[in-house]
Amino acid sequence: MKKLGFGFMRLPVLDENDASKIDLEQLCRMVDKFMERGFTYFDTAYVYHKQQSEIYLRKALVERYPRESFQVATKIPLFMVKCEEDNARIFNEELEKCGVEYFDYYLLHAMNSERFEIAKKYGSFEFLKKMKAEGKARNIGFSFHGDAELLKEMLDAWPETEFVQLQLNYLDWENPSIQAKECYELCTQYGKPVIVMEPVKGGSLVAVPEEAAKLMKDYNPDVSLASWAVRYAASLDNVMMVLSGMSNMEHMEDNTSYMENFAPLTDGEREVIAKVVEIINSSKAVACTTCGYCVDGCPKQIPIPKYFALYNAHLQALNKGFSTSQTYYANMTMYMASASDCIECGKCEKACPQHLNIIEELKNVAKELER
Ligand code: SF4
Ligand code: SF4
């Protein structure tokens, strides 16, 4: 298999404000381009695009190509598992939504310590083993958002795990909270191949400070900023697949162009990335990937990632002497809760895969932008 997977979590949409309205016509063309260039791995999940992603995978892929010509990966949302029977109920619903009789890769979704307890309580991994024995899940594993200590505990508890999906990118590699390097090395030690998610860190590695972008462009003006990040992940020996959430044909053309005949990073390119990491770390205040996992549980419905994006832009703009972020913030808070509405319940921090100190950062946002 070629090392690029099509992530179905940021598909093209017809309405920017409604993630469930997927642009099927554009999606079909993207799938065709992907398959035409020899890529075959598709990654979806029950919860993506307001639970529509699996259905659109069926429409754009399963109903249009022979089943053996592609691989489908999907995931069980453990926050919806409230009893042992829910494992089978959700799995069967996913088979139906995707229009398939088996999954090539089936995962427990976004594992952390809380979900590890749910999986143990309701026998979710045991259920995956049963589906594998029945031929309905050909490879079983989990996607992971925790530290290396928890990962070790899970790999010891579930030695039948066949692969692990990790958040891994050049910025998180040395991040002491995310521990991408430690987790990758642990998987290698346990002989578990790694599937990489968020190689471009939710798009933030294409919105790098100008100085960092210039370094990459000066080194090679012919390639995109995203290509540096995707190739970084794919260059690791134990990485079997790199997922990229592509939102339009331009992303598809770009990603497939450099991954069709993939070449690992050279030493010179690695040196450029090391300098880029230094620049980014010194310029971005809040390392939010805009995944949105924090928003659903917020009792005040604070649009956390939007405020962090504004806050980061504000600080970067202030470095250049001028920021309009306070105006944008004032407009947003006319119809949304403001950062200072936070009651510090902590739900968002538990949901954040980046382990951000959201409560503290919201105070900073309020201090800077609520003037
Ligand atoms: S800490 Fe604030 S933002 Fe986070 S969940 Fe609680 S109220 Fe919402
Ligand atoms: S604060 Fe955390 S959970 Fe919320 S959008 Fe940012 S990275 Fe995702």
Side-chain angles (χ1 to χ4, degrees):
M1 268 194 294
K2 288 189 170 162
K3 268 191 178 185
L4 178 69
F6 189 168
F8 266 46
M9 80 179 289
R10 291 189 182 90
L11 297 172
V13 287
L14 296 166
D15 178 351
E16 282 290 306
N17 297 312
D18 187 351
S20 69
K21 295 211 165 58
I22 293 162
D23 181 348
L24 181 61
E25 191 263 330
Q26 186 174 179
L27 178 61
C28 287
R29 283 191 286 117
M30 289 166 71
V31 167
D32 292 344
K33 176 63 68 182
F34 191 69
M35 295 288 280
E36 183 189 306
R37 291 192 167 170
F39 300 93
T40 56
Y41 190 98
F42 293 81
D43 173 84
T44 181
Y46 189 98
V47 294
Y48 293 168
H49 280 275
K50 296 187 174 170
Q51 307 188 3
Q52 294 299 300
S53 175
E54 292 177 324
I55 294 168
Y56 278 79
L57 181 127
R58 186 188 77 229
K59 292 180 182 179
L61 175 71
V62 178
E63 291 176 356
R64 300 172 64 243
Y65 285 88
R67 179 64 185 92
E68 293 302 327
S69 65
F70 55 83
Q71 293 81 41
V72 173
T74 194
K75 317 174 188 88
I76 184 166
L78 287 174
F79 72 90
M80 292 176 70
V81 175
K82 309 288 182 202
C83 64
E84 208 171 319
E85 292 71 37
D86 279 347
N87 294 309
R89 181 182 60 75
I90 295 169
F91 184 87
N92 288 329
E93 191 189 335
E94 290 185 290
L95 284 177
E96 200 180 322
K97 281 169 81 183
C98 292
V100 296
E101 292 181 348
Y102 65 90
F103 295 117
D104 301 273
Y105 292 81
Y106 196 71
L107 299 84
L108 305 180
H109 196 176
M111 295 304 288
N112 56 19
S113 52
E114 193 183 340
R115 292 182 192 135
F116 186 34
E117 291 311 313
I118 295 173
K120 283 192 287 187
K121 186 171 176 190
Y122 298 125
S124 300
F125 194 78
E126 296 308 311
F127 174 76
L128 262 59
K129 282 165 40 183
K130 189 163 165 266
M131 290 304 95
K132 182 172 170 74
E134 291 179 14
K136 291 180 181 170
R138 294 193 169 172
N139 298 275
I140 56 174
F142 53 86
S143 62
F144 185 73
H145 290 288
D147 60 19
E149 195 183 331
L150 177 64
L151 179 58
K152 183 174 184 320
E153 206 183 325
M154 289 176 58
L155 291 174
D156 285 336
W158 298 333
E160 300 85 357
T161 300
E162 292 173 286
F163 64 94
V164 179
Q165 190 160 307
L166 290 178
Q167 175 177 306
L168 194 158
N169 52 65
Y170 65 69
L171 197 59
D172 291 334
W173 186 247
E174 304 273 3
N175 184 310
S177 298
I178 296 168
Q179 300 189 347
K181 180 170 183 273
E182 288 87 339
C183 290
Y184 170 81
E185 286 173 352
L186 198 63
C187 289
T188 307
Q189 187 191 323
Y190 275 69
K192 311 295 180 191
V194 168
I195 296 175
V196 171
M197 55 185 162
E198 300 292 5
V200 192
K201 209 168 160 60
S204 57
L205 298 184
V206 296
V208 295
E210 260 174 46
E211 189 188 352
K214 186 174 180 313
L215 268 181
M216 291 188 270
K217 281 290 170 199
D218 285 352
Y219 193 89
N220 187 347
D222 298 328
V223 300
S224 65
L225 299 185
S227 74
W228 289 80
V230 174
R231 285 180 56 232
Y232 176 90
S235 295
L236 292 159
D237 288 340
N238 191 34
V239 166
M240 61 167 274
M241 188 59 59
V242 180
L243 304 177
S244 178
M246 296 175 252
S247 303
N248 53 45
M249 191 50 110
E250 197 186 327
H251 293 164
M252 176 60 70
E253 289 278 2
D254 182 45
N255 278 344
T256 52
S257 67
Y258 55 82
M259 289 303 286
E260 197 172 3
N261 297 304
F262 167 68
L265 290 177
T266 62
D267 289 344
E269 287 171 324
R270 286 182 187 285
E271 280 170 28
V272 172
I273 286 183
K275 286 182 196 147
V276 166
V277 170
E278 259 177 53
I279 294 167
I280 297 174
N281 281 339
S282 64
S283 65
K284 190 172 176 181
V286 188
C288 172
T289 63
T290 68
C291 68
Y293 288 171
C294 55
V295 177
D296 285 353
C298 175
K300 293 293 193 179
Q301 293 289 293
I302 299 172
I304 299 165
K306 287 190 174 140
Y307 288 164
F308 285 166
L310 203 55
Y311 180 62
N312 283 331
H314 174 71
L315 294 188
Q316 280 176 5
L318 277 188
N319 286 339
K320 291 177 206 142
F322 178 69
S323 168
T324 54
S325 295
Q326 284 168 346
T327 311
Y328 284 106
Y329 183 81
N331 289 339
M332 288 167 82
T333 51
M334 283 170 75
Y335 61 95
M336 296 178 196
S338 63
S340 57
D341 287 330
C342 176
I343 55 167
E344 304 190 15
C345 66
K347 283 188 184 169
C348 53
E349 296 195 351
K350 284 196 187 119
C352 178
Q354 309 303 325
H355 308 280
L356 297 179
N357 297 323
I358 297 175
I359 296 170
E360 276 315 300
E361 295 295 359
L362 283 176
K363 286 181 188 166
N364 293 333
V365 171
K367 200 169 141 202
E368 272 300 314
L369 299 181
E370 288 181 17
R371 284 178 187 168

